[in-house]
Amino acid sequence: MPNLPAYRFMRWLFPRLLAGIYFIAFVSWGVQYRGLVGREGIMPAERLMQNLHAYEASKGTWLLDQYPTLQYFNGGDEFAFFMIGAGCVLAVLVMAGVAQRWLLLLLWAGYLSVVVTGDVFMSFQWDALLLEAGLLAVWLAPGQWWTWRVPAAPPRGSVFLLHWLTFRLMLLSGFVKIGGGDPVWRDMTALLDHYETQPLPHVLSWWVQQMPGGFHVASCWGMYGVELLLPFAIFLGRWGRLAACLGFVSFMAAIFATGNYNFFNLVTVALALTLLDDSWWPRRIKGWLGLAGDAAPAAVLDKGRVYVLRTLSGVTVAVVVILTSLAADGFLVGRIPGYKGYLPAWSHEHLYGPVAPLRSFNAYGLFQDMTTERLEVIVEVSDDGILWLPLEFKWKPGDLKRAPGWAAPHQPRLDWQMWFAALSPGYVPQRDAQPGSPMAWFGEFLAALLQQKQAVWDLLEPPPFPQEDIRHIRARLYRYHFTDLKTRRETGDWWRREYLGAFSPAFSVPPSAP
């Protein structure tokens, strides 16, 4: 069975695109690390590792297999920033063509390490998507110590698994919407409110929200076409893959133009481009990279070695397909009414269970349940307990006159968590202060502000009082709406809002000693 010379350009391009996304992800995490999980952050990674080692000592066991992170050996901030800096350097080297296969493996291990210790702030599907694509890229990338031109074809199995990932990503995203039972997805009205209620809208989101209802209904039909039909075109030959690629890239461009979804769009576009074989790329670019002619003659291998290589490739593909099918089977339980899981329970426990902590064999499905109203938690502070003024975040809605900002491809993870916080019933200290509670981070966040942890304050806009004078903090819940064109012209407001009630009690600290 011959190799696939038709995908030589993709073998040159994809590792570099992925390395660029790794660079963005590491930088984005690095500028937030101290405030989120640093030593003086909201949920310190160093404390997590200390608690982990204390538990291991008490139980006489080790948990590295459950917490696969290099910070297991050193949870300090200094080592974390070394890893983040090293990740940026390695990404640049991969883009330059240096030892791509081996450096991509190190990038995967490094990003897995920060995801594991990132706690609730690193629990997003696009982090898992980057890890899964990154692990598959290790197999695809050339193994030479340095190369700019890539005359050799990639392994057949590596191409198939990237197409398999693209297929699963898009199809499952559509399937959980149509099968999840949310009526707004079934009557095609989900996008009537989406641009207003998504986690972090930007200024174009406001403009798209003003479009007539028919536009949003038609957009919903188009989305289903891309997510439920086009994935099957991947397996319908080169023209089918071209159609799928164009549809996926256009879809991601539309999402990028209407909301802040960090690097998710970039990873998906990179995966979509793997669908294009060499014949679709301009001849001039292929000639510049030495790909315009036929592939270099393959080394003559004895039949025994060919058999071994084919067997290993087939086994790898089978293992990945089985593990990702198990991931999808477990993911859909509880999401699709009546779906109880159809693969054997022992396979989930003994096959998928051991690899689940690697976060690299996943299922995907964004926005299964569409939020139809935008709730916002507004944090207020005071120096005397009488006059309360709001704290402004860097990206999430607050001030009615502030235009929604454009953050992508950066992900401001605290601002994202505040969106999830607004969907919870409210913060109750007796309930939510317990470790493991989904809202435990919120209490830690408020406490960090009162404790004057500068790294946490740096995640916000400057406070309305002198920071050192702030002794009281509380949170209020509002319902936000985009304004319409008429109101925007008359008042300058981008938002209007309604007060719903207290989200948390007020917390205070005694005044500092003179």
Side-chain angles (χ1 to χ4, degrees):
M1 183 183 298
N3 282 329
L4 294 176
Y7 287 96
R8 287 180 293 151
F9 182 72
M10 184 270 285
R11 193 185 197 191
W12 182 92
L13 180 65
F14 185 72
R16 289 171 167 83
L17 291 177
L18 205 63
I21 299 167
Y22 268 127
F23 183 89
I24 291 169
F26 275 115
V27 170
S28 176
W29 180 242
V31 299
Q32 305 172 81
Y33 179 89
R34 292 190 188 277
L36 296 179
V37 298
R39 190 173 292 124
E40 293 296 313
I42 299 170
M43 304 285 281
E46 190 171 46
R47 184 180 66 191
L48 172 65
M49 291 296 102
Q50 289 170 350
N51 292 340
L52 178 67
H53 294 318
Y55 180 85
E56 290 176 324
S58 68
K59 299 296 183 180
T61 185
W62 74 321
L63 295 175
L64 181 59
D65 59 330
Q66 297 300 310
Y67 294 86
T69 172
L70 297 174
Q71 289 180 268
Y72 180 91
F73 305 102
N74 186 336
D77 289 1
E78 297 78 12
F79 182 70
F81 278 104
F82 168 77
M83 282 199 314
I84 293 169
C88 294
V89 172
L90 294 179
V92 172
L93 291 175
V94 170
M95 287 187 279
V98 177
Q100 290 183 320
R101 179 177 298 168
W102 318 113
L103 297 190
L104 280 169
L105 183 60
L106 291 177
L107 280 169
W108 172 82
Y111 199 67
L112 174 62
S113 294
V114 301
V115 168
V116 169
T117 55
D119 209 283
V120 68
F121 302 110
M122 275 282 192
S123 59
F124 296 96
Q125 289 192 39
W126 34 85
D127 294 312
L129 178 62
L130 179 55
L131 285 170
E132 184 167 356
L135 188 58
L136 295 179
V138 172
W139 187 13
L140 174 84
Q144 297 97 322
W145 288 111
W146 184 83
T147 180
W148 183 253
R149 296 186 172 189
V150 185
R156 180 183 291 270
S158 67
V159 176
F160 170 79
L161 288 180
L162 287 170
H163 293 178
W164 173 243
L165 172 56
T166 310
F167 173 80
R168 289 184 293 112
L169 171 65
M170 302 307 296
L171 182 66
L172 283 174
S173 295
F175 183 61
V176 296
K177 294 182 180 72
I178 199 69
D182 190 342
V184 298
W185 281 121
R186 294 191 173 185
D187 64 15
M188 304 299 162
T189 61
L191 298 183
L192 291 176
D193 303 301
H194 167 68
Y195 305 103
E196 173 182 275
T197 63
Q198 63 183 305
L200 287 184
H202 54 61
V203 67
L204 292 184
S205 311
W206 185 91
W207 286 100
V208 176
Q209 185 69 46
Q210 313 304 316
M211 299 294 286
F215 170 84
H216 299 303
V217 172
S219 296
C220 198
W221 280 106
M223 179 212 67
Y224 276 132
V226 171
E227 291 188 342
L228 291 176
L229 298 179
L230 273 184
F232 292 98
I234 293 173
F235 306 110
L236 298 179
R238 57 189 299 270
W239 283 97
R241 288 189 290 273
L242 174 64
C245 174
L246 294 177
F248 298 157
V249 171
S250 300
F251 185 42
M252 288 300 108
I255 292 176
F256 181 80
T258 57
N260 284 300
Y261 291 97
N262 49 83
F263 54 80
F264 166 70
N265 314 95
L266 299 180
V267 181
T268 307
V269 167
L271 288 169
L273 292 177
T274 67
L275 300 174
L276 300 182
D277 60 57
D278 287 354
S279 65
W280 297 115
W281 297 97
R283 182 177 297 273
R284 178 173 297 181
I285 293 177
K286 292 186 292 185
W288 177 51
L289 296 172
L291 304 177
D294 294 333
V300 178
L301 304 177
D302 60 79
K303 292 183 178 179
R305 188 176 177 186
V306 169
Y307 176 79
V308 169
L309 292 176
R310 289 179 181 174
T311 301
L312 289 175
S313 180
V315 168
T316 300
V317 169
V319 167
V320 173
V321 169
I322 290 171
L323 292 176
T324 52
S325 298
L326 287 168
D329 190 57
F331 176 79
L332 294 175
V333 174
R335 288 176 173 264
I336 305 298
Y339 192 97
K340 300 177 181 178
Y342 295 102
L343 297 179
W346 64 264
S347 62
H348 285 277
E349 179 181 357
H350 298 293
L351 296 180
Y352 185 71
V355 303
L358 298 177
R359 296 161 169 81
S360 300
F361 306 93
N362 307 301
Y364 305 94
L366 299 172
F367 288 103
Q368 174 183 338
D369 297 312
M370 181 58 73
T371 52
T372 56
E373 62 176 4
R374 179 172 202 92
L375 302 180
E376 281 293 343
V377 175
I378 302 298
V379 178
E380 298 178 339
V381 293
S382 175
D383 58 355
D384 58 7
I386 299 174
L387 175 62
W388 294 85
L389 295 175
L391 279 179
E392 289 293 327
F393 286 68
K394 292 184 181 297
W395 299 102
K396 89 175 191 70
D399 182 358
L400 303 183
K401 292 188 180 298
R402 188 175 70 169
W406 200 312
H410 168 59
Q411 182 180 359
R413 293 176 184 262
L414 176 61
D415 299 62
W416 267 79
Q417 285 305 128
M418 293 297 293
W419 183 80
F420 287 107
L423 301 179
S424 72
Y427 179 76
V428 179
Q430 294 81 358
R431 178 196 68 200
D432 294 320
Q434 300 301 317
S437 165
M439 284 293 291
W441 68 271
F442 188 77
E444 298 274 4
F445 168 57
L446 298 183
L449 294 176
L450 288 179
Q451 293 163 5
Q452 299 298 326
K453 292 185 176 180
Q454 188 58 47
V456 180
W457 279 101
D458 288 343
L459 298 173
L460 309 171
E461 297 287 4
F465 300 103
Q467 183 179 314
E468 62 275 10
D469 293 342
I470 293 174
R471 298 190 294 111
H472 310 274
I473 194 166
R474 68 186 185 185
R476 294 291 181 261
L477 188 66
Y478 289 82
R479 182 183 292 114
Y480 270 59
H481 306 271
F482 275 145
T483 56
D484 55 26
L485 284 166
K486 181 174 182 292
T487 304
R488 170 86 183 94
R489 292 192 186 103
E490 292 175 352
T491 66
D493 292 348
W494 293 88
W495 299 96
R496 56 185 177 87
R497 69 183 186 181
E498 308 154 19
Y499 177 65
L500 299 179
F503 183 81
S504 81
F507 301 94
S508 303
V509 293
S512 302

